[in-house]
Structure formats: C-alpha cells, structure tokens
C-alpha cells in the first residue's frame, strides 16, 4: 500500500497549533473527535480543497489511518506539502490520552 511512504506523525507528537482535519463520516465525528479538529468527510475533500490550509501544519485524521492516508496522498498529488497522516488515527489519539469531544451528549468515543 502506498501509505507507507507518506509523511506521518504520532498522536503524542501533534503540535498544539496543528490544523487537524478529520475526514471521517458524520456519525464517527459526532461520537468523538479532537476538540479543535475541522470536519471534512473524505468524499467531500476534492470539492472543498480550498478550505484546507496550504500554509499551516495539517494533520489528517480518520479512525485508524487508512482513509486519512488516502487523503494525504491526494493532497500531496495536488500540491500540498504541509500534510501529515495521523499514525493510527483516532484510535491512537484516544490511546495516547489526547482530548476527545462529542456532539451527541454522550461520553466521547471512537467508533
């Protein structure tokens, strides 16, 4: 899989000022996401690329790293050189003790 040669970052090493781009589906986002993340479902990325900063450190997030890896590859092929895939996705984010927020009134969780 091509994702192995993509730039990655571990949950513990995500800078505080990183632009977090969560590309999961709406139900996954609602259940639990990084508090400062920006939600942009993977299938909407091509139509909404202008929303993704090209001048900030962007960390792309999904549940385990597969979808976000595809998005990182897509963005890199379209001129973004500032994107990193979150190694292990939201599962590793939660396991590393990073903060989670939910949108449904339930305790935040990764689904």
């Amino acid at each position: 899989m091509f994702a192995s040669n993509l730039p990655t970052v571990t949950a513990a090493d995500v800078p505080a000022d990183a632009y977090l781009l969560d590309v999961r589906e709406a139900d996954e986002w609602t259940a639990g996401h990084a508090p400062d993340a920006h939600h942009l479902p993977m299938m909407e990325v091509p139509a909404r690329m202008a929303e993704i900063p090209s001048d900030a450190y962007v960390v792309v997030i999904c549940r385990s790293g597969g979808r976000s890896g595809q998005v990182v590859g897509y963005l890199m092929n379209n001129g973004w050189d500032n994107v990193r895939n979150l190694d292990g996705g939201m599962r590793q984010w939660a396991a590393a003790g990073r903060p989670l927020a939910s949108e449904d009134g339930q305790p935040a969780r990764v689904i």
Side-chain angles (χ1 to χ4, degrees):
M1 183 174 175
F2 76 93
S4 62
N5 62 359
L6 293 174
T8 63
V9 63
T10 66
D13 292 330
V14 172
D17 62 346
Y19 183 95
L20 304 176
L21 179 65
D22 192 320
V23 298
R24 297 175 302 150
E25 295 300 316
D27 61 328
E28 296 173 288
W29 167 265
T30 298
H33 56 85
D36 296 325
H38 303 267
H39 187 221
L40 178 55
M42 178 181 176
M43 298 310 291
E44 296 179 26
V45 168
R48 296 174 60 189
M49 287 174 56
E51 297 175 33
I52 303 169
S54 59
D55 59 351
Y57 188 89
V58 177
V59 177
V60 185
I61 305 169
C62 68
R63 180 174 43 232
S64 60
R67 287 172 285 176
S68 54
Q70 292 177 31
V71 171
V72 167
Y74 181 81
L75 291 171
M76 290 178 72
N77 287 336
N78 283 279
W80 273 256
D81 60 2
N82 59 316
V83 291
R84 302 290 180 271
N85 189 22
L86 181 64
D87 189 31
M90 283 302 297
R91 288 181 174 162
Q92 285 303 315
W93 180 271
R98 300 296 301 255
L100 288 172
S102 72
E103 302 294 322
D104 61 4
Q106 300 295 316
R109 64 225 178 265
V110 178
I111 63 168

